[in-house]
Amino acid sequence: MFNSLPKQLTSALLLAGVLSGCSMAPTYVRPAAPVAGSYPAAADGQAQLEASARGWRQFFPDQRLQTLIAAALENNRDLRTAALNIEQARAQYDITAADALPHLEGDFSRSRGRTPAVQSPTGQSFVGTSYAVGLNMTAFELDFFGRVRSLKDAALASYLATEEARQSAQISLIAQVAQAYLAEQSFAEQEALAQQTLDSRLEEYKLGKMRFDVGASSALDLRVSDTLVQSARVSLSTLARQRGQASNALTLLVGKPLTDLPASTPLLDQQIVTDIPAGVPSDLLNRRPDIRAAEQQLRAANADIGAARAAFFPRISLTAGIGNASTSLGNLFSAGSRTWSFVPQLALPIFEGGRNRANLTLSEVRKNLAVASYEKTIQTAFREVADALVARGTLDEQLAAQDAFLNAQQERVKLTGLRYKNGIANSTEMLDAQRDLFSAQQALIQTRQLRLNNAIDLYRSLGGGLNETTQAAKS
C-alpha cells in the first residue's frame, strides 16, 4: 500500500502536466492598426539608417549633451522608478509561476499530551509523546482547465509590459533632456544678444544725451533712445529668468547638479541628425516600446479571460504526505514507522451569487478597454510621426526665410540710421527699425531651436534612443 503512493502521486502529477497545456483563454489575435498605410508627408532620406537603430551618441554629437544624457540615464528618478517597477512585476510573475509547481515541505514535530481514562483502552489515564517526520505536498491544483496557466500568462505579459514601459521612459527621457538642453542654450544665446543690444543702446543713449545737452537733438529723440534702453533691460531680465528656469528643469531631468561639463555648442553649430527615414506606419508596431507595452497589456487581459472561464469548472487539488511516526525518538526510523496520506479534493461551483459570471464579464470588458488603449496608442504614435514629418517639410523653408528676414532688417536699420542722421527719418521710424531687428534676431535663434526640436521629436516618435551606439546594419 505504501509503495503505491509514489506511483499514484506521480501519475497524478504527470496527468496535471499534460492537461495544464489546455487553456480556455481566447486565441490572441493582434488588432488591425487603425491608421493609414502611409504618412501624410512623404519621408525623405530612405537611404539613411533608421531611427531605432541609430544610437543616441551618433544622433547627438554634442559632447556636453552626451554627458547630460548619460547622467540622466543613471540618475533620473522617473527612470529609476520604471526599473523598480520591472523588478516588482518580475517578482509577481515568479510568485504566480510558482503556483504551477507542487509545493513540498519537510517537517518534524514532537507532541505530548494526556489521554483521559475514559478514552484509554486500559481504562487508566496516561501521558504520551509522539514524534513525526515527513515530506508533505499541500493543495497542489491539477490545472485541468488552464486557470493557473492563464494567470501565469497574464503575469508574464504584465511583466513584459513594464519592461517595454521602461524602454519607453528611456526614449522620452533622452528626448526631454536634449530639448531642455536646447531650450537652455537658446535662452543663453538670446540673453547674450539682449546684453549686446543693451550695451549698444546705452552707448547710443549716452551720445544722444550729449547731443541733447548741447541742444543738437530734441527731448523726444532722447526719450526714444531711453525707451530702447529700457526695452532691452526688460528683455534681458526676462531671458535671465527663463534661462535659470530652463537650467533648473534640465537639472531635474539629469537628476544631479550640473558640474564639470564640456563646453556647449551654439545652436547654429549643432550637428543633430535632421534627415532620418520614417518608413511606414506598420513599422511603429515593432519600433515603439509604448505600443509593444500596450499590446502586452492586451495579452494579459486576454489571458485573464481564460482564468475567468476556468472558474466555472471544478478545481481539483491534491494534498499528500509521506514520512515516519513513532512514540519514541529512537524508533522514529525503525521498521513499521512509515506513514503516508493521499487526499484528492474536488471543489465544484454550485451557487456563488453570479460572482463567476460577473468576473468573466469584467475580464471581457477589461480586454475591450485594452484593445481601445492599444489602438489609441497606435493612433497617437502615428500622429506624432506625421506631425514631425509635416514640420520637417516646412521648418527648413522657415529657417531660410527667417535668416533672409534678419538680413533685410539689418539693412533696414542701417538705411534708417542714415536717413535719421540726415534728418529725413524721424525718431519713431528709428525706434521701430531697431525693435524689429532685435525681434528678428531672437526669432532666428528660436527657429533654429524649433528645427532641432523637430528632429528630436521625429527621432523619439520613431523609437530612437534605446541604443547608445549605432547597431550593425541588418542584412
Side-chain angles (χ1 to χ4, degrees):
M1 186 80 176
F2 169 75
N3 293 331
S4 65
L5 174 62
K7 296 181 180 179
Q8 296 175 8
L9 185 56
T10 302
S11 299
L13 293 178
L14 288 175
L15 179 62
V18 172
L19 294 179
S20 64
C22 304
S23 175
M24 304 196 72
T27 301
Y28 175 76
V29 178
R30 173 186 282 181
V35 293
S38 60
Y39 298 108
D44 299 326
Q46 294 298 325
Q48 302 290 329
L49 191 66
E50 66 180 24
S52 59
R54 188 186 296 274
W56 54 262
R57 288 191 181 273
Q58 281 69 41
F59 190 81
F60 302 109
D62 186 334
Q63 294 296 317
R64 186 184 184 94
L65 180 53
Q66 289 183 3
T67 302
L68 292 171
I69 292 176
L73 293 177
E74 181 179 355
N75 299 286
N76 182 266
R77 298 310 188 270
D78 290 336
L79 193 61
R80 188 175 299 176
T81 299
L84 292 174
N85 285 336
I86 294 176
E87 295 184 19
Q88 176 178 268
R90 175 67 188 187
Q92 185 61 53
Y93 167 69
D94 289 341
I95 293 172
T96 305
D99 291 336
L101 300 174
H103 298 175
L104 301 178
E105 297 178 353
D107 68 81
F108 172 80
S109 63
R110 174 184 180 274
S111 62
R112 185 173 176 82
R114 180 180 181 276
T115 301
V118 294
Q119 295 181 352
S120 172
T122 62
Q124 296 180 352
S125 63
F126 67 93
V127 175
T129 303
S130 64
Y131 299 86
V133 62
L135 184 65
N136 299 316
M137 180 182 71
T138 306
F140 171 61
E141 181 176 348
L142 302 181
D143 198 23
F144 287 103
F145 303 102
R147 188 188 74 88
V148 175
R149 181 188 175 189
S150 293
L151 293 175
K152 177 183 175 182
D153 291 343
L156 176 60
S158 297
Y159 160 65
L160 295 176
T162 57
E163 169 61 26
E164 299 293 356
R166 189 208 64 81
Q167 294 185 4
S168 180
Q170 175 178 324
I171 289 175
S172 296
L173 175 62
I174 289 175
Q176 289 172 358
V177 170
Q179 291 182 336
Y181 168 71
L182 294 179
E184 195 273 340
Q185 183 64 28
S186 174
F187 287 131
E189 293 185 14
Q190 293 181 66
E191 182 183 7
L193 172 64
Q195 185 63 60
Q196 294 174 2
T197 301
L198 176 59
D199 294 341
S200 175
R201 290 179 180 179
L202 283 173
E203 291 296 326
E204 293 177 0
Y205 176 78
K206 291 178 181 178
L207 294 175
K209 183 66 167 56
M210 294 174 59
R211 290 170 56 85
F212 173 76
D213 290 341
V214 298
S217 64
S218 65
L220 178 60
D221 292 336
L222 184 61
R223 294 282 73 81
V224 168
S225 181
D226 185 45
T227 300
L228 291 173
V229 170
Q230 302 309 323
S231 175
R233 283 178 173 165
V234 170
S235 297
L236 182 61
S237 299
T238 300
L239 291 167
R241 182 187 71 252
Q242 291 174 331
R243 180 186 180 183
Q245 292 173 341
S247 179
N248 293 336
L250 184 58
T251 301
L252 177 62
L253 288 171
V254 173
K256 69 174 186 178
L258 310 179
T259 58
D260 300 328
L261 296 175
S264 59
T265 302
L267 296 180
L268 181 61
D269 298 328
Q270 287 286 341
Q271 299 299 316
I272 293 176
V273 179
T274 58
D275 184 18
I276 52 178
V280 294
S282 59
D283 293 338
L284 292 177
L285 303 184
N286 297 321
R287 288 180 180 176
R288 295 263 305 222
D290 57 337
I291 296 179
R292 299 197 298 263
E295 185 174 9
Q296 290 296 342
Q297 294 290 3
L298 176 56
R299 288 180 180 273
N302 190 75
D304 283 337
I305 293 179
R309 287 177 175 177
F312 287 90
F313 296 88
R315 294 174 60 180
I316 301 175
S317 60
L318 297 179
T319 297
I322 184 173
N324 295 59
S326 174
T327 57
S328 66
L329 184 60
N331 296 326
L332 184 59
F333 296 98
S334 300
S337 64
R338 296 287 181 89
T339 64
W340 65 269
S341 65
F342 181 69
V343 186
Q345 183 178 9
L346 183 145
L348 178 65
I350 296 177
F351 178 77
E352 28 70 36
R355 176 186 297 272
N356 287 341
R357 183 155 305 275
N359 281 333
L360 178 58
T361 301
L362 178 61
S363 62
E364 290 173 342
V365 171
R366 285 175 174 171
K367 179 185 176 181
N368 292 334
L369 289 172
V371 170
S373 177
Y374 174 69
E375 293 175 341
K376 178 63 178 297
T377 303
I378 295 176
Q379 290 175 334
T380 301
F382 178 87
R383 179 192 171 180
E384 289 175 352
V385 176
D387 285 349
L389 290 174
V390 169
R392 184 171 73 174
T394 59
L395 279 171
D396 285 334
E397 297 179 3
Q398 180 180 343
L399 186 59
Q402 193 67 51
D403 189 56
F405 179 70
L406 175 59
N407 293 333
Q409 288 294 342
Q410 290 173 335
E411 188 64 22
R412 174 192 172 193
V413 169
K414 184 188 298 183
L415 295 176
T416 303
L418 292 174
R419 288 167 53 85
Y420 178 72
K421 290 180 180 180
N422 293 325
I424 300 176
N426 56 37
S427 57
T428 303
E429 294 179 16
M430 188 63 186
L431 173 64
D432 291 341
Q434 291 191 355
R435 283 178 174 172
D436 291 344
L437 174 60
F438 181 62
S439 297
Q441 290 171 324
Q442 285 187 306
L444 180 60
I445 295 174
Q446 294 166 358
T447 305
R448 288 171 181 162
Q449 178 194 357
L450 187 62
R451 180 67 183 93
L452 295 172
N453 280 341
N454 169 252
I456 297 171
D457 284 336
L458 184 57
Y459 182 63
R460 175 193 57 79
S461 61
L462 291 175
L466 289 179
N467 305 306
E468 183 172 352
T469 56
T470 299
Q471 294 179 332
K474 299 179 180 180
S475 58

